[in-house]
Amino acid sequence: MPEGHTIHRAAQDQRPMLVGKRIAATSPQGRFADGAAMIDGRTCVAIDALGKHLLYHFDSGEHLHIHLGLAGRIYRSAQPADPPRDVVRIRMESLSHVIDITGPAICEILTDAELAAFRMKYGPDLLAEPDEPERAIARIRKSRSPIATLLMNQQVISGIGNIYRTEILWLLGLNPFMRGCDVPEETLHKLWAEMRALMQIGVKYNSIITNGELPAAGQDIQERVNIYAEAACPTCKSEIGVTKISARTLYYCARCQSV
Ligand SMILES: [Zn+2]
């Protein structure tokens, strides 16, 4: 499951290929033929991300909503592109580029009203401009659930996955089991700002980097983390604790995250 930074990066990479251009849309697989027909011949006016959701906006007032889920993939190519494979749910073509999307968990057309309702369902996105931490912080402060659970709840904050959740709690020395209502407001402001900065790095390098070791330009790298799936805490050398919370594995240092 991609974390939010990968979807923002996907939006950023596709903007020059589609935005401001007339789009030919088809469903080579056939399963989205009606949806593709609704945006076929329209101009794409913007592409943005909300958490793990990708949204393509068209001048007709229609919006293509994609959630890749576990199996979904996006393939980009320059024209002239190869013919689509028959698993492509939707192909969008401008004169310069082709985007093929396969295996999405969600692929649907939203009206303006449906898009507004959809946005209301989710917590603010860390990478949105302008950002709006107050809405997320208020929801956390009202909850008795553990902070580690709240950070993964997309109705509270959009875009944080398991790796970022683990890393930000360790970086702030925060006990993952502390109830949301017990976390001081200033700590939550700091959490938002630091999480946003880490995800901006994630978009820039297209990889999760939380340990400050930024790669040289153009270097392709794997994730660089502090404690996620690691054996020992880099600070105190204690063994990293492992538990399940909200059905996902949580790593933490019981010594450094005791506050
Ligand atoms: Zn430690």
Side-chain angles (χ1 to χ4, degrees):
M1 180 80 67
E3 301 206 19
H5 72 289
T6 60
I7 302 302
H8 277 271
R9 176 62 184 252
Q12 180 180 304
D13 289 345
Q14 289 175 65
R15 277 181 202 123
M17 302 175 181
L18 300 184
V19 172
K21 303 181 181 192
R22 232 176 102 140
I23 304 301
T26 53
S27 179
Q29 183 193 46
R31 284 179 57 186
F32 193 59
D34 291 350
M38 292 171 81
I39 53 174
D40 184 40
R42 298 295 185 173
T43 297
C44 180
V45 293
I47 304 174
D48 68 2
L50 173 64
K52 297 168 188 175
H53 303 263
L54 192 52
L55 297 160
Y56 300 81
H57 308 284
F58 293 87
D59 64 349
S60 55
E62 269 133 357
H63 313 272
L64 173 66
H65 169 209
I66 298 288
H67 189 297
L68 292 174
L70 287 173
R73 295 282 181 277
I74 299 172
Y75 299 93
R76 308 183 305 249
S77 48
Q79 296 278 28
D82 293 333
R85 292 171 304 142
D86 57 10
V87 293
V88 173
R89 183 77 54 89
I90 182 165
R91 165 170 276 208
M92 289 182 281
E93 297 188 59
S94 66
L95 288 177
S96 62
H97 287 87
V98 174
I99 305 294
D100 283 342
I101 299 175
T102 63
I106 298 172
C107 178
E108 62 179 0
I109 301 290
L110 301 177
T111 62
D112 283 339
E114 287 165 343
L115 178 66
F118 169 77
R119 285 193 191 279
M120 284 303 294
K121 255 186 12 201
Y122 289 90
D125 188 294
L126 275 155
L127 291 169
E129 296 292 349
D131 63 336
E132 39 176 357
E134 292 75 17
R135 197 149 65 89
I137 288 170
R139 286 191 184 180
I140 292 171
R141 297 269 297 157
K142 266 190 237 156
S143 175
R144 300 168 70 85
S145 297
I147 183 68
T149 300
L150 293 166
L151 292 184
M152 291 275 282
N153 181 342
Q154 304 297 304
Q155 295 177 351
V156 174
I157 297 185
S158 289
I160 301 182
N162 200 17
I163 301 177
Y164 277 130
R165 180 255 308 255
T166 294
E167 293 288 305
I168 193 68
L169 290 171
W170 180 82
L171 284 165
L172 294 174
L174 257 184
N175 183 333
F177 306 102
M178 184 184 277
R179 299 183 304 178
C181 56
D182 292 334
V183 183
E185 195 166 336
E186 64 185 65
T187 304
L188 292 173
H189 275 285
K190 193 169 170 207
L191 186 153
W192 178 279
E194 293 196 11
M195 192 68 256
R196 183 169 152 92
L198 287 177
M199 290 187 69
Q200 285 167 339
I201 289 171
V203 172
K204 181 170 178 189
Y205 294 98
N206 209 10
S207 183
I208 295 177
I209 306 168
T210 56
N211 66 357
E213 293 175 15
L214 300 182
Q219 196 184 344
D220 211 10
I221 61 149
Q222 298 295 312
E223 283 151 11
R224 291 182 177 176
V225 298
N226 297 294
I227 66 159
Y228 185 85
E230 298 289 338
C233 172
T235 304
C236 74
K237 313 301 176 202
S238 301
E239 193 181 332
I240 291 296
V242 183
T243 187
K244 289 267 183 201
I245 186 163
S246 313
R248 301 291 299 273
T249 305
L250 175 76
Y251 301 88
Y252 65 103
C253 174
R255 187 183 286 182
C256 295
Q257 295 174 251
S258 58
V259 182

